[in-house]
Amino acid sequence: MPRGGKKDGKEDQEGGAASSVEPGSTAESKSEGKLEELAGLVTTLVRVQAARDEQAEKASSIQECRWRNMQQQFTEMQQQVSRITQERRQEGDTQDDSQRLMIIVCSAVK
């Protein structure tokens, strides 16, 4: 048989093998494309998580500041109640101190 002739389909198989390289390279490029897409998604996820972490840190800082302010206000109220109680005792006032202090504290909170 002359060259290039078909002999039991072997050349078809070789041709098929040669043509299967092209789809294989396409599969590799698809794989690389998916890998790049995945890398992009991971990068985006990392950025979003970093932004969330930053927001959470800011919120925590604000909450900590509020908590310290509230503690300071409570301490000042305790000192004020203590001072008023001592003044009333020194004056010899016999009226119910707890009731009077409750009124004072409620008015201070407003």
Side-chain angles (χ1 to χ4, degrees):
M1 240 186 216
R3 248 186 194 185
K6 294 184 180 181
K7 186 177 183 180
D8 296 330
K10 287 184 181 177
E11 289 195 19
D12 281 343
Q13 291 174 354
E14 289 175 7
S19 65
S20 70
V21 171
E22 291 175 17
S25 65
T26 304
E28 286 179 14
S29 65
K30 284 183 182 179
S31 222
E32 289 176 11
K34 287 184 179 185
L35 185 60
E36 289 175 9
E37 181 182 359
L38 181 60
L41 290 172
V42 169
T43 302
T44 302
L45 177 64
V46 168
R47 287 181 185 156
V48 168
Q49 188 61 42
R52 284 182 186 165
D53 290 347
E54 185 177 337
Q55 286 177 341
E57 187 64 33
K58 285 180 183 179
S60 177
S61 176
I62 290 170
Q63 189 65 24
E64 181 67 26
C65 184
R66 288 177 181 167
W67 176 247
R68 279 187 259 121
N69 286 338
M70 190 170 63
Q71 286 177 322
Q72 179 64 29
Q73 289 174 354
F74 184 75
T75 300
E76 290 172 1
M77 281 181 19
Q78 283 180 321
Q79 291 171 351
Q80 184 179 10
V81 166
S82 178
R83 183 181 51 82
I84 291 171
T85 302
Q86 287 176 358
E87 289 174 0
R88 300 285 183 201
R89 285 186 184 149
Q90 288 174 354
E91 293 174 2
D93 196 354
T94 58
Q95 192 177 8
D96 186 12
D97 286 337
S98 61
Q99 186 179 12
R100 185 177 297 138
L101 290 176
M102 184 60 74
I103 293 169
I104 293 170
V105 168
C106 289
S107 65
V109 171
K110 292 179 185 179

